[in-house]
Amino acid sequence: MKNEVRTKLRPVVHWEDYRLDPRYFILIFLSLFAILGQVYLGFFQRWEAVFISVACTTLTELFLSRWKKGSWSFPLSGIITGIGVSLLLSSNVLWIYAVTAVISIALKYALRFKGAHIFNPNNVAMVIVLVLLPQFAVSTPKQWTNGIEVMLMIMLLGILVCYMANRLDSVLTFLGSFTLFALLRHLWFGAPLFAALGPLMGAGLQLFAFFMMTDPKSTPTTRRARILFAFLVALMDAVFRIQRVPNPQFYALFTISLLFIIPYRYWIARQADRNGEPASAPTK
C-alpha cells in the first residue's frame, strides 16, 4: 500500500499528501545514524555538536514558522535538519554548527518557489559553509567499520524511509547511476576500481542518498522527473569527481537543483492548471 495518497499533478508535495508523515521515519533513520555513529562507528563529531545543531535549527524553525504562519507549530523538520547538520559537518569549533544550522533553516524560508523551498536545507547550507568557511568546515567521508550487519541495518531502514516518502525511485536511480559512472571513471579515466566504487560503502554517500536525494519537498513530484533528476545529480557528481572537487555530491545536488527545480515546478504548475487540477494544498 502506497503511503502517498495524493498523487495528482502538482509542483510540490505537502505532508498532508501522506497517510503517515514520512518525516517521522526520517527522524528515526537519522537518529539511529547519529547514535550508531557516536557509539559504534567512531564518527568525528562530539555529542555537543549534535545538541547545538538541533537546538539552533529547532529555535530558528520555531520563530520563522511563527512569523510566517502566525501560530506556533512543532518543529519536526527543524529537528531533522539539525541532526543532518551534525552528521554532515565536521569541525573542531562548535560555533560553525550553529551557523550552518541557522543558515539551513533561514534559506528554507527565503529561497522558495511555488510554495516550497528550492534546495534541500542541509545541502545548501553545507555548500555555503564549505565554500565560504573552508578553514572551519569540512565534511569527512565517515567510512563504516567492517560490521556488515550495521551497514545492512542502516540500508534497510533507509530503503523503508524512501518507500514511505515515495522516493525509492530516486535513491535507486542515483545509486545505480553512481555505480555506472564509477565504472566509466575506472575504464576511461583510470580511477582505481575500488576507489571509484568505495563511496558506495561509506556512511557519507549513504546518508546523502537516503536523506538528501529523497527529500519530498525539494525533489520533483513525478516519477519520470525524479529519475531524470537523480541521474543528472549522479552525472554531475561524476564530473566533479573527475575534476577532483572535494565533496562532489553536495555541489552536484546544489547545481542540479538550481537548474532543474524552478523550471520543473513552473512547467508542472502550468500543466496542472490546464488539466483543471489544484496546484497547491494547505501547508504545514
Side-chain angles (χ1 to χ4, degrees):
M1 182 176 66
K2 293 180 64 174
N3 188 40
E4 188 177 5
V5 294
R6 182 177 184 264
T7 58
K8 290 184 178 180
L9 201 63
R10 74 272 198 215
V12 296
V13 300
H14 303 281
W15 303 124
E16 297 90 342
D17 297 344
Y18 296 93
R19 288 189 177 90
L20 297 174
D21 192 331
R23 289 178 295 176
Y24 291 107
F25 297 93
I26 297 172
L27 179 61
I28 294 171
F29 170 69
L30 291 180
S31 298
L32 181 60
F33 212 116
I35 292 170
L36 286 176
Q38 292 288 337
V39 175
Y40 184 69
L41 301 176
F43 281 8
F44 175 80
Q45 295 88 340
R46 295 173 289 172
W47 277 114
E48 296 95 319
V50 180
F51 297 143
I52 289 175
S53 300
V54 173
C56 289
T57 53
T58 299
L59 290 173
T60 307
E61 179 84 29
L62 271 173
F63 286 108
L64 289 180
S65 176
R66 175 71 172 82
W67 169 74
K68 180 183 178 184
K69 303 173 185 176
S71 61
W72 298 105
S73 59
F74 183 70
L76 179 58
S77 295
I79 297 172
I80 291 170
T81 302
I83 299 175
V85 168
S86 71
L87 288 170
L88 294 165
L89 182 65
S90 296
S91 180
N92 289 319
V93 294
L94 293 175
W95 61 263
I96 194 67
Y97 291 94
V99 170
T100 308
V102 172
I103 289 174
S104 64
I105 300 298
L107 291 184
K108 185 178 81 168
Y109 283 87
L111 303 178
R112 302 174 70 85
F113 184 69
K114 294 294 183 181
H117 45 277
I118 300 169
F119 301 100
N120 177 280
N122 283 118
N123 184 73
V124 67
M126 285 298 299
V127 168
I128 289 173
V129 297
L130 288 173
V131 171
L132 298 182
L133 298 169
Q135 67 272 41
F136 300 109
V138 297
S139 182
T140 58
K142 306 184 187 72
Q143 292 295 317
W144 292 102
T145 62
N146 292 327
I148 187 69
E149 64 281 353
V150 177
M151 182 188 71
L152 289 175
M153 180 169 60
I154 292 292
M155 289 185 67
L156 289 174
L157 184 57
I159 290 173
L160 173 63
V161 169
C162 296
Y163 175 78
M164 296 304 294
N166 196 27
R167 293 298 183 273
L168 191 57
D169 46 20
S170 296
V171 70
L172 293 178
T173 299
F174 174 76
L175 294 176
S177 300
F178 183 94
T179 302
L180 171 64
F181 291 128
L183 294 174
L184 292 178
R185 287 190 290 116
H186 167 65
L187 294 174
W188 293 353
F189 296 94
L193 179 60
F194 290 112
L197 294 173
L200 290 169
M201 302 298 290
L205 191 70
Q206 291 186 12
L207 178 63
F208 173 83
F210 289 121
F211 175 48
M212 288 189 176
M213 285 299 304
T214 58
D215 176 18
K217 289 284 190 177
S218 58
T219 52
T221 57
T222 58
R223 172 164 292 179
R224 289 183 180 179
R226 287 195 298 269
I227 290 173
L228 175 60
F229 181 81
F231 176 82
L232 291 175
V233 172
L235 174 61
M236 185 61 66
D237 172 87
V239 172
F240 284 138
R241 289 180 189 273
I242 292 170
Q243 299 299 320
R244 300 184 183 278
V245 175
N247 307 300
Q249 66 271 26
F250 297 138
Y251 300 114
L253 179 57
F254 176 83
T255 302
I256 299 303
S257 296
L258 180 65
L259 298 175
F260 192 99
I261 294 300
I262 291 179
Y264 170 78
R265 288 182 183 171
Y266 177 78
W267 179 76
I268 286 294
R270 293 194 62 182
Q271 293 294 111
D273 288 341
R274 289 173 183 170
N275 296 341
E277 298 176 355
S280 62
T283 59
K284 285 185 178 180

